[in-house]
Amino acid sequence: MNELIVGLIQQTCSADRQANLQKSVEGIREAANQGAQLVVLQELHASLYFCQTEDTDCFDLAEPIPGPATDLFGDLARELNLVIVTSLFERRAPGLYHNTAVVMDKDGSIAGRYRKMHIPDDPGYYEKFYFTPGDLGFVPISTSLGKLGILVCWDQWYPEAARLMAMAGAELLIYPTAIGWDPRDDAGEQQRQRDAWITIQRGHAVANGLPVIAVNRTGFEASPDPHGAGSLFWGSSFVAGSQGEMLTQGSVDQEEVLVVTIDRSRSEKVRRIWPFLRDRRIDCYAELTRRFRD
């Protein structure tokens, strides 16, 4: 199967969990009506982005896997005969939580999960308070549509993560994301940040000869901290082909369902003319495992 039709659900979120999930479900149905075989949801789409502050009450938002959300999206995947990539706040055990992407296969089963590996800790993005770093490694998830290299948000800045997924046989690189601007930044800084986010992911496509799917939330979410500026999520969900070419891109500030066809045979063709994996000097890279070369 050379052609794969992919749907991306870019949405706003509120404090109403059921409304958020219903919006995701409606987006998936719309994508399915347009022929999508694989649908990707944004990071933590069941809630507001709660990591703007550190609050132990927010751990109540976490859920087990399997659990209510995987039941919901598993049933939907089976009904619509498609693969769904969800993003959940996983409650693994009391006091142990992960930022986890879960893939539901066409038969409604859980094909696999990926726990976010790189965890940021920045103003407005206090994720180290909530999420234990992933312990499942960079392992593609095998589905009826092939091997999906799922990574999550902050992972998208690390070429090592994309490379390891590619080296393990991933056929697509997929990034559920929640990233936005500090509204206090000027327009120039905001543009530079968004351009950097797009550019590095297109670079992962080029360096690995693989399509990249990035799905980001949109809308403004106020900070629970009265002194906080809140986050203005910049949307811009996109799909890049295996030479980094833009196949589709969403708006900055609108909820959208994007549907695009990916020619998966291009990865083979591109890797034949740009055989980066062949030419890697693996005998010279040992020091990449060091924090810094002092």
Side-chain angles (χ1 to χ4, degrees), residues 1-6 35 37 145 260-266:
M1 181 177 61
N2 289 334
E3 289 194 344
L4 178 66
I5 304 175
V6 179
Q37 302 157 286
L145 296 176
V260 64
T261 299
I262 295 174
D263 178 2
R264 302 206 299 182
S265 68
R266 280 188 48 73

mmCIF file of all heavy atoms in Angstrom, residues 1-6 35 37 145 260-266:
data_model
loop_
_atom_site.group_PDB
_atom_site.id
_atom_site.type_symbol
_atom_site.label_atom_id
_atom_site.label_comp_id
_atom_site.label_asym_id
_atom_site.label_seq_id
_atom_site.Cartn_x
_atom_site.Cartn_y
_atom_site.Cartn_z
ATOM 1 N N MET A 1 0.852 -1.191 0.000
ATOM 2 C CA MET A 1 0.000 0.000 0.000
ATOM 3 C C MET A 1 0.889 1.243 0.000
ATOM 4 O O MET A 1 1.479 1.600 1.007
ATOM 5 C CB MET A 1 -0.907 0.004 1.235
ATOM 6 C CG MET A 1 -1.844 1.184 1.313
ATOM 7 S SD MET A 1 -2.949 1.092 2.733
ATOM 8 C CE MET A 1 -1.766 1.102 4.082
ATOM 9 N N ASN A 2 1.009 1.893 -1.172
ATOM 10 C CA ASN A 2 1.889 3.038 -1.282
ATOM 11 C C ASN A 2 1.250 4.330 -0.804
ATOM 12 O O ASN A 2 1.937 5.206 -0.286
ATOM 13 C CB ASN A 2 2.361 3.203 -2.735
ATOM 14 C CG ASN A 2 3.337 2.117 -3.145
ATOM 15 O OD1 ASN A 2 4.033 1.548 -2.312
ATOM 16 N ND2 ASN A 2 3.381 1.816 -4.424
ATOM 17 N N GLU A 3 -0.058 4.484 -0.996
ATOM 18 C CA GLU A 3 -0.725 5.713 -0.587
ATOM 19 C C GLU A 3 -1.390 5.527 0.762
ATOM 20 O O GLU A 3 -2.090 4.542 1.005
ATOM 21 C CB GLU A 3 -1.761 6.141 -1.631
ATOM 22 C CG GLU A 3 -1.137 6.650 -2.918
ATOM 23 C CD GLU A 3 -2.136 7.372 -3.806
ATOM 24 O OE1 GLU A 3 -3.359 7.209 -3.567
ATOM 25 O OE2 GLU A 3 -1.713 8.089 -4.729
ATOM 26 N N LEU A 4 -1.176 6.495 1.640
ATOM 27 C CA LEU A 4 -1.781 6.485 2.964
ATOM 28 C C LEU A 4 -2.457 7.825 3.188
ATOM 29 O O LEU A 4 -1.819 8.880 3.067
ATOM 30 C CB LEU A 4 -0.706 6.253 4.028
ATOM 31 C CG LEU A 4 -1.188 6.265 5.485
ATOM 32 C CD1 LEU A 4 -2.108 5.078 5.751
ATOM 33 C CD2 LEU A 4 0.005 6.249 6.437
ATOM 34 N N ILE A 5 -3.734 7.788 3.532
ATOM 35 C CA ILE A 5 -4.490 9.020 3.775
ATOM 36 C C ILE A 5 -4.497 9.278 5.285
ATOM 37 O O ILE A 5 -4.926 8.431 6.062
ATOM 38 C CB ILE A 5 -5.928 8.919 3.237
ATOM 39 C CG1 ILE A 5 -5.911 8.558 1.751
ATOM 40 C CG2 ILE A 5 -6.667 10.237 3.447
ATOM 41 C CD1 ILE A 5 -7.283 8.315 1.149
ATOM 42 N N VAL A 6 -3.987 10.442 5.657
ATOM 43 C CA VAL A 6 -3.781 10.780 7.057
ATOM 44 C C VAL A 6 -4.642 11.979 7.437
ATOM 45 O O VAL A 6 -4.726 12.956 6.686
ATOM 46 C CB VAL A 6 -2.296 11.103 7.324
ATOM 47 C CG1 VAL A 6 -2.083 11.487 8.776
ATOM 48 C CG2 VAL A 6 -1.418 9.916 6.956
ATOM 49 N N GLY A 35 -11.900 9.959 4.006
ATOM 50 C CA GLY A 35 -11.090 8.826 3.571
ATOM 51 C C GLY A 35 -9.875 8.513 4.409
ATOM 52 O O GLY A 35 -9.086 7.633 4.049
ATOM 53 N N GLN A 37 -7.218 6.984 6.776
ATOM 54 C CA GLN A 37 -6.932 5.647 7.296
ATOM 55 C C GLN A 37 -6.187 5.704 8.628
ATOM 56 O O GLN A 37 -6.217 4.762 9.408
ATOM 57 C CB GLN A 37 -6.084 4.881 6.282
ATOM 58 C CG GLN A 37 -6.724 4.742 4.908
ATOM 59 C CD GLN A 37 -5.686 4.504 3.831
ATOM 60 O OE1 GLN A 37 -4.957 5.410 3.431
ATOM 61 N NE2 GLN A 37 -5.603 3.272 3.364
ATOM 62 N N LEU A 145 -1.231 -0.616 9.495
ATOM 63 C CA LEU A 145 -0.793 0.325 8.460
ATOM 64 C C LEU A 145 0.718 0.440 8.386
ATOM 65 O O LEU A 145 1.239 1.248 7.620
ATOM 66 C CB LEU A 145 -1.403 1.709 8.728
ATOM 67 C CG LEU A 145 -2.923 1.812 8.641
ATOM 68 C CD1 LEU A 145 -3.383 3.218 9.022
ATOM 69 C CD2 LEU A 145 -3.424 1.454 7.240
ATOM 70 N N VAL A 260 -4.627 14.552 4.206
ATOM 71 C CA VAL A 260 -3.639 14.593 3.135
ATOM 72 C C VAL A 260 -3.218 13.167 2.785
ATOM 73 O O VAL A 260 -3.238 12.272 3.635
ATOM 74 C CB VAL A 260 -2.411 15.434 3.570
ATOM 75 C CG1 VAL A 260 -1.696 14.782 4.736
ATOM 76 C CG2 VAL A 260 -1.459 15.671 2.411
ATOM 77 N N THR A 261 -2.837 12.960 1.533
ATOM 78 C CA THR A 261 -2.350 11.662 1.079
ATOM 79 C C THR A 261 -0.828 11.663 1.049
ATOM 80 O O THR A 261 -0.203 12.565 0.482
ATOM 81 C CB THR A 261 -2.895 11.343 -0.324
ATOM 82 O OG1 THR A 261 -4.321 11.285 -0.275
ATOM 83 C CG2 THR A 261 -2.360 9.996 -0.814
ATOM 84 N N ILE A 262 -0.243 10.663 1.674
ATOM 85 C CA ILE A 262 1.206 10.483 1.692
ATOM 86 C C ILE A 262 1.566 9.333 0.752
ATOM 87 O O ILE A 262 0.981 8.248 0.834
ATOM 88 C CB ILE A 262 1.704 10.165 3.112
ATOM 89 C CG1 ILE A 262 1.457 11.349 4.049
ATOM 90 C CG2 ILE A 262 3.173 9.782 3.106
ATOM 91 C CD1 ILE A 262 1.794 11.044 5.502
ATOM 92 N N ASP A 263 2.529 9.578 -0.136
ATOM 93 C CA ASP A 263 3.062 8.528 -1.003
ATOM 94 C C ASP A 263 4.228 7.871 -0.273
ATOM 95 O O ASP A 263 5.336 8.407 -0.237
ATOM 96 C CB ASP A 263 3.520 9.126 -2.330
ATOM 97 C CG ASP A 263 4.123 8.077 -3.262
ATOM 98 O OD1 ASP A 263 4.156 6.879 -2.891
ATOM 99 O OD2 ASP A 263 4.593 8.463 -4.351
ATOM 100 N N ARG A 264 3.964 6.723 0.321
ATOM 101 C CA ARG A 264 4.990 6.082 1.141
ATOM 102 C C ARG A 264 6.126 5.480 0.316
ATOM 103 O O ARG A 264 7.207 5.208 0.846
ATOM 104 C CB ARG A 264 4.342 5.020 2.026
ATOM 105 C CG ARG A 264 3.264 5.619 2.927
ATOM 106 C CD ARG A 264 3.045 4.838 4.171
ATOM 107 N NE ARG A 264 2.612 3.479 3.918
ATOM 108 C CZ ARG A 264 2.309 2.610 4.885
ATOM 109 N NH1 ARG A 264 2.400 2.958 6.141
ATOM 110 N NH2 ARG A 264 1.903 1.391 4.596
ATOM 111 N N SER A 265 5.916 5.293 -0.971
ATOM 112 C CA SER A 265 6.990 4.751 -1.806
ATOM 113 C C SER A 265 8.124 5.765 -1.986
ATOM 114 O O SER A 265 9.238 5.388 -2.375
ATOM 115 C CB SER A 265 6.447 4.339 -3.174
ATOM 116 O OG SER A 265 6.031 5.463 -3.936
ATOM 117 N N ARG A 266 7.859 7.039 -1.696
ATOM 118 C CA ARG A 266 8.904 8.053 -1.864
ATOM 119 C C ARG A 266 10.069 7.831 -0.918
ATOM 120 O O ARG A 266 11.206 8.203 -1.236
ATOM 121 C CB ARG A 266 8.320 9.453 -1.657
ATOM 122 C CG ARG A 266 7.589 9.984 -2.874
ATOM 123 C CD ARG A 266 7.193 11.442 -2.701
ATOM 124 N NE ARG A 266 8.279 12.287 -2.224
ATOM 125 C CZ ARG A 266 9.325 12.673 -2.961
ATOM 126 N NH1 ARG A 266 9.431 12.246 -4.214
ATOM 127 N NH2 ARG A 266 10.247 13.461 -2.444
#
